[in-house]
Amino acid sequence: MTSHPAPQAHHHDDDTRLHGEYKVPGGKLVVVDLEVAGGRFSNVSLSGDFFLEPDEALQDINQALTGLPETSTAADIAAAVAGGLPEGAVLFGFSAEAVAVTVRRALSKATSWADHQWEVIPPLVLPTQVNVALDEVLTEEVGAGQRNPTLRFWDWEEPSVVIGSFQSVRNEVDPDGVARHGISVVRRISGGGAMFMEAGNCITYSLYLPQTLVDGISFADSYAFLDAWVMAALKKLGITAFYVPLNDIATDQGKIGGAAQKRLANGGMLHHVTMSYDIDADKMVDVLRIGKEKLSDKGTRSAKKRVDPLRRQTGLARSAIIAAMQEVFAERYGAVESRLTDSELDEARKLVEDKFGTEEWLNRVP
């Protein structure tokens, strides 16, 4: 297990100058150069390929940042920037929050993808309960610095429903449908909605990362930020996908997946996604109670129409899509292939016995 050292500040030509860069998802590059003197920001210079009106607003932002304590949080920095802008200023391709992320990166309080050695664990067939338990084990490890940030693809055999941490079993799952189709129902540690997951019909992955990677990025923006590589992989396969806030991934044909997150107290974070490859919509409607209220703001009458599987859109085998995703992630972030250790699997199995496989946990919200 390698622990990852805290990233160093990016120093430029002289020792005192700090440099941070942040590419806004779907936006522009923001660059900040600054010095810290007496515990405060000085000689601040913002630059980038963004658009800003009026011109003088650039100086106003530099001025707003000057003198702020180096201990300022992302929220403090964003508030100072917003407060320093002239009335009617227009920021296009970036925001006060993006400036805050960039400053925190310059100070090495926030990290970028490139600051970490990423690992990828290819699909391994495991019971759904073990997959859910591994999410807790690996997120804890990354938070504790005992494992490098990791992308893991799931595989499983039994048809499953994985419900969100705060969902009611009774309200989400139809017991008759579950019994009839032999479905295993499991509760995960992240929030969000129920996922109907048949083996071979879904693509599910989990990202385990340090929260420093999303420092200063809002909860809403962090979803798209952490899945930018997936959008690139789908694009390579001829699918133009986009985020529908808060956590749905869609194409112009319909929804293809959903994401969920959990942040742990030790600084680790879980971000996981299930995408429909070839869903059995009739069975899904048998098993999940998809109420009228849930569909009310989606402009759809039926749940069957809401999910449009990747198989139909690409004509590709599921394994080919996973391979393309793995390839794009490795190319983008220099990720190396890794595997689950015996101790991680043992710990996950023990967690299934003590927690994820218990009635208490499953019926935590009746």
Side-chain angles (χ1 to χ4, degrees), residues 337-355:
E337 197 164 300
S338 122
R339 61 177 194 85
L340 292 164
T341 64
D342 292 341
S343 67
E344 286 167 340
L345 281 165
D346 289 346
E347 201 174 326
R349 290 192 181 106
K350 190 175 176 333
L351 260 184
V352 169
E353 274 174 49
D354 299 345
K355 179 177 178 178

Side-chain angles (χ1 to χ4, degrees), residues 14-28:
D14 65 65
D15 274 352
T16 54
R17 204 98 177 108
L18 301 175
H19 177 84
E21 297 186 3
Y22 172 54
K23 165 78 172 63
V24 178
K28 298 295 184 180

Side-chain angles (χ1 to χ4, degrees), residues 117-134:
Q117 173 59 65
W118 290 87
E119 297 183 3
V120 181
I121 299 174
L124 175 67
V125 175
L126 294 164
T128 303
Q129 290 178 341
V130 175
N131 275 311
V132 170
L134 278 166

Side-chain angles (χ1 to χ4, degrees), residues 8 48 50 86 143 187 246 256 258 276 279 316 318 358:
Q8 297 306 301
F50 49 75
R187 185 185 292 277
L246 179 64
I256 53 172
S276 315
I279 209 152
L316 293 170
R318 175 175 173 266
T358 66

Side-chain angles (χ1 to χ4, degrees), residues 202-285:
C202 295
I203 295 171
T204 298
Y205 63 84
S206 298
L207 262 180
Y208 313 103
L209 59 133
Q211 288 170 37
T212 52
L213 188 65
V214 294
D215 178 275
I217 301 173
S218 72
F219 267 60
D221 290 344
S222 69
Y223 281 89
F225 172 75
L226 293 173
D227 283 332
W229 63 277
V230 183
M231 303 304 168
L234 290 171
K235 199 173 182 120
K236 210 170 166 179
L237 301 172
I239 294 180
T240 303
F242 47 87
Y243 247 87
V244 180
L246 179 64
N247 60 336
D248 284 353
I249 298 172
T251 69
D252 51 11
Q253 312 277 306
K255 175 177 167 172
I256 53 172
Q261 292 180 355
K262 175 71 179 173
R263 297 171 193 229
L264 300 186
N266 75 350
M269 178 172 168
L270 164 67
H271 171 93
H272 50 187
V273 169
T274 292
M275 295 195 286
S276 315
Y277 172 67
D278 188 13
I279 209 152
D280 181 336
D282 293 314
K283 198 183 287 189
M284 178 179 81
V285 177

Side-chain angles (χ1 to χ4, degrees), residues 48-340:
D49 60 358
F50 49 75
F51 298 92
L52 179 61
E53 297 288 348
D55 277 6
E56 305 77 69
L58 187 66
Q59 221 22 65
D60 293 329
I61 294 175
N62 290 339
Q63 204 51 53
L65 293 169
T66 302
L68 285 182
E70 66 171 320
T71 52
S72 300
T73 64
D76 296 338
I77 297 167
V81 170
L85 288 167
E87 208 175 323
V90 179
L91 285 66
F92 187 69
F94 79 123
S95 62
E97 289 73 24
V99 175
V101 172
T102 315
V103 170
R104 299 270 298 178
R105 283 192 176 176
L107 297 167
S108 289
K109 299 280 199 296
T111 57
S112 70
W113 293 90
D115 289 320
H116 303 282
Q117 173 59 65
W118 290 87
E119 297 183 3
V120 181
I121 299 174
L124 175 67
V125 175
L126 294 164
T128 303
Q129 290 178 341
V130 175
N131 275 311
V132 170
L134 278 166
D135 276 356
E136 182 169 314
V137 172
L138 300 185
T139 308
E140 287 274 3
E141 284 187 338
V142 170
Q146 294 163 337
R147 170 181 262 288
N148 283 330
T150 300
L151 166 68
R152 179 176 75 91
F153 288 95
W154 292 31
D155 229 332
W156 64 99
E157 274 168 353
E158 74 282 22
S160 307
V161 167
V162 178
I163 63 172
S165 181
F166 310 108
Q167 288 190 301
S168 149
V169 182
R170 203 173 28 221
N171 291 343
E172 295 299 327
V173 180
D174 184 316
D176 299 338
V178 164
R180 193 162 57 248
H181 297 294
I183 308 282
S184 81
V185 182
V186 188
R187 185 185 292 277
R188 60 179 186 265
I189 60 170
S190 62
M195 293 295 185
F196 171 61
M197 298 169 39
E198 280 193 291
N201 283 3
C202 295
I203 295 171
T204 298
Y205 63 84
S206 298
L207 262 180
Y208 313 103
L209 59 133
Q211 288 170 37
T212 52
L213 188 65
V214 294
D215 178 275
I217 301 173
S218 72
F219 267 60
D221 290 344
S222 69
Y223 281 89
F225 172 75
L226 293 173
D227 283 332
W229 63 277
V230 183
M231 303 304 168
L234 290 171
K235 199 173 182 120
K236 210 170 166 179
L237 301 172
I239 294 180
T240 303
F242 47 87
Y243 247 87
V244 180
L246 179 64
N247 60 336
D248 284 353
I249 298 172
T251 69
D252 51 11
Q253 312 277 306
K255 175 177 167 172
I256 53 172
Q261 292 180 355
K262 175 71 179 173
R263 297 171 193 229
L264 300 186
N266 75 350
M269 178 172 168
L270 164 67
H271 171 93
H272 50 187
V273 169
T274 292
M275 295 195 286
S276 315
Y277 172 67
D278 188 13
I279 209 152
D280 181 336
D282 293 314
K283 198 183 287 189
M284 178 179 81
V285 177
D286 261 1
V287 171
L288 294 182
R289 296 187 196 274
I290 301 172
K292 294 182 179 57
E293 184 62 29
K294 172 91 173 153
L295 300 175
S296 64
D297 66 337
K298 309 279 187 197
T300 24
R301 298 289 281 281
S302 119
K304 292 185 195 178
K305 289 206 187 67
R306 278 190 62 209
V307 181
D308 190 74
L310 286 168
R311 180 177 186 167
R312 198 168 69 74
Q313 290 197 37
T314 63
L316 293 170
R318 175 175 173 266
S319 55
I321 297 175
I322 292 174
M325 288 169 69
Q326 203 171 319
E327 201 174 290
V328 168
F329 188 85
E331 275 169 14
R332 272 199 162 201
Y333 306 130
V336 296
E337 197 164 300
S338 122
R339 61 177 194 85
L340 292 164

